[in-house]
Amino acid sequence: MFRSHVVVVDLGFGDAGKGATVDWLCSAEAGLDVSAVVRFNGGAQAAHNVIAEGRHHTFAQFGSGTFSGVPTLLSQHVLVEPIALAGEARQLATLGVPDPLALLYIDGRALLTTPIHIAANRAREDARGSSRHGSCGRGIGETAAYALDHDAPTVSDCLRPRVLRDKLQALAAHYGALIAPSEHRYEPIDTLVDMYQEFAAAVRIVGGEQLAHFARRGRLVFEGAQGVLLDEWRGFHPHTTWSTVEPRNARAMLSEIGSAGYVLGVSRTYMTRHGAGPLPTEDRALDFPEPHNTTGRYQGEFRLGHLDPILLRYAIAVSGGVDGLALTHLDTQGTRYAATEYATADGPIAHLPPGTWQDLTHQQHLTDFLATAHPVLTEIPDDVLPWLAQTLDVPVVLTSNGPTRTHRTPTTATVAAA
């Protein structure tokens, strides 16, 4: 089994089963002696569904190892939303997790997502009307964008109420003209400051040294949010997230402590995405049960498509490669097809050019290309695992044919996992 730290990354548009995979890695069944789950991107928009021991929870900011009592480290790359986090802690407590906040460690350098960011996000997306980019409406993009040019509030500011108040007032002034004509509102600044002081007193706010402390105690599992095909620099612009989804951040954090990790890519046996943007193999006739994925006001509808190895190869390439694949939803019946190539005006295409990092012109070109590409579908062999491993040139090391830990099975390829 995995003999190093593990980085879990979604190779699609999200919702591939990262949470359930992390839950299994942290469980006694896997036997990996995990000391912490490290979140390395995203924020409160994450929705990682875990069903274990008769309990179901949609993990947003807490790591998906929480049911096994594994601590969570929210790294400096996470956008922390304390109000939602407090609500999630209450939900976990009702599910039998004793003192959930005691399991939480937060890097003080992490940016704060506030109700001001959330109101601005929703006002901006409402104003776009039918030209929406796609959003969870949780303020993620506004948090990241504001921090590019301003002295943005951070988690450590919750320990300094005067500094925090000044930053929140500047934030409110910046977004005043956008929010005022909208239906969206937020709490008074003084109320927010009081709430954030309570938050700071209830959690551990730590520095960059915490990662090494956890690494000395056992294995680290890095839990990614969303999917590589939504990555801020590698996704199909402009239908992307303001977050680095591919494992660049996790690799950098491991390098800082002199370690390396095994990158475990996660994919369903078919493609999904929420809302606007390319989905070349989309098939409106597909109708699979999705109890945890519905149409949202800001996300848009939940869409389904056939397996697309072309997009998966692209995701693997822009991730700098992955070491193994976790294949989920093998129990879903109804699609046995995959895209082997795209038919285009210039002939068949089987690979997307990765381009270079931070080249949004290239990403827009890919978006335009995918809007007119027509997938050529081929029936998948009954023995899907060796076929997919050969197609992607990545071993399938973990499979899932259901929602719980008992449905997860390591394959013989895990013997070689390093």
Side-chain angles (χ1 to χ4, degrees):
M1 188 52 71
F2 312 103
R3 294 187 291 275
S4 65
H5 307 302
V6 183
V7 180
V8 178
V9 62
D10 187 319
L11 298 177
F13 295 99
D15 302 299
K18 296 179 298 298
T21 300
V22 170
D23 169 75
W24 181 82
L25 290 169
C26 294
S27 68
E29 289 89 332
L32 297 184
D33 189 26
V34 177
S35 62
V37 169
V38 183
R39 300 296 295 269
F40 65 90
N41 76 299
Q45 91 280 37
H48 299 176
N49 285 284
V50 172
I51 298 174
E53 301 169 339
R55 300 177 288 184
H56 167 249
H57 180 69
T58 303
F59 285 93
Q61 295 181 84
F62 279 84
S64 295
T66 300
F67 280 159
S68 294
V70 175
T72 297
L73 173 60
L74 299 181
S75 75
Q76 68 185 92
H77 304 290
V78 174
L79 310 180
V80 178
E81 209 281 73
I83 298 171
L85 195 151
E88 185 175 3
R90 288 191 293 270
Q91 294 170 4
L92 287 166
T94 65
L95 292 172
V97 177
D99 195 5
L101 291 177
L103 292 172
L104 197 62
Y105 297 73
I106 307 178
D107 193 312
R109 297 169 292 179
L111 293 172
L112 273 184
T113 293
T114 72
I116 304 171
H117 294 105
I118 295 170
N121 172 196
R122 295 177 179 182
R124 194 183 304 279
E125 195 72 350
D126 286 345
R128 289 183 174 129
S130 60
S131 298
R132 287 181 174 183
H133 291 176
S135 171
C136 292
R138 301 308 300 268
I140 301 303
E142 300 299 342
T143 303
Y146 181 83
L148 292 177
D149 299 311
H150 302 84
D151 188 11
T154 65
V155 168
S156 63
D157 291 331
C158 296
L159 298 168
R160 305 180 295 172
R162 289 183 181 179
V163 172
L164 180 61
R165 182 178 287 104
D166 289 345
K167 289 189 176 184
L168 291 177
Q169 288 172 342
L171 180 66
H174 175 80
Y175 282 121
L178 174 63
I179 296 174
S182 77
E183 66 182 274
H184 306 291
R185 296 294 179 264
Y186 52 84
E187 296 85 344
I189 299 298
D190 285 343
T191 300
L192 290 176
V193 171
D194 290 342
M195 294 169 66
Y196 290 146
Q197 283 186 270
E198 293 178 10
F199 158 74
V203 300
R204 294 181 181 89
I205 298 177
V206 299
E209 73 285 346
Q210 187 62 50
L211 185 73
H213 291 332
F214 277 131
R216 285 193 289 269
R217 298 180 195 172
R219 193 187 318 272
L220 304 174
V221 171
F222 289 78
E223 180 176 2
Q226 302 166 288
V228 171
L229 300 180
L230 295 174
D231 184 272
E232 60 182 332
W233 297 113
R234 297 301 202 167
F236 305 122
H237 184 73
H239 308 288
T240 57
T241 183
W242 281 73
S243 178
T244 298
V245 182
E246 48 98 345
R248 178 181 306 267
N249 291 340
R251 287 190 173 112
M253 294 170 68
L254 284 167
S255 178
E256 288 173 3
I257 62 172
S259 296
Y262 180 100
V263 179
L264 180 63
V266 185
S267 173
R268 293 191 185 215
T269 55
Y270 53 99
M271 306 302 290
T272 70
R273 79 169 297 160
H274 277 100
L279 185 60
T281 60
E282 182 172 15
D283 187 341
R284 295 280 180 168
L286 297 178
D287 183 19
F288 303 145
E290 290 287 343
H292 306 130
N293 287 295
T294 58
T295 297
R297 175 175 175 180
Y298 293 98
Q299 278 188 299
E301 66 174 329
F302 188 69
R303 301 158 60 193
L304 300 170
H306 301 282
L307 187 66
D308 193 336
I310 303 167
L311 290 187
L312 294 179
R313 281 196 293 267
Y314 170 82
I316 291 168
V318 300
S319 294
V322 302
D323 299 297
L325 185 70
L327 188 62
T328 69
H329 294 75
L330 282 163
D331 56 316
T332 301
Q333 301 297 317
T335 177
R336 292 299 308 237
Y337 295 92
T340 53
E341 61 186 23
Y342 298 146
T344 76
D346 297 323
I349 297 293
H351 298 272
L352 294 182
T356 58
W357 190 51
Q358 297 186 325
D359 182 356
L360 291 183
T361 299
H362 175 77
Q363 299 311 119
Q364 182 66 65
H365 287 161
L366 289 181
T367 302
D368 297 339
F369 165 78
L370 291 174
T372 60
H374 298 285
V376 177
L377 298 178
T378 300
E379 189 169 4
I380 300 173
D382 290 337
D383 197 359
V384 63
L385 300 189
W387 175 83
L388 189 60
Q390 182 178 19
T391 299
L392 301 180
D393 195 25
V394 176
V396 178
V397 299
L398 184 67
T399 63
S400 171
N401 65 349
T404 71
R405 293 173 188 167
T406 59
H407 293 112
R408 275 154 183 78
T409 305
T411 71
T412 54
T414 59
V415 174

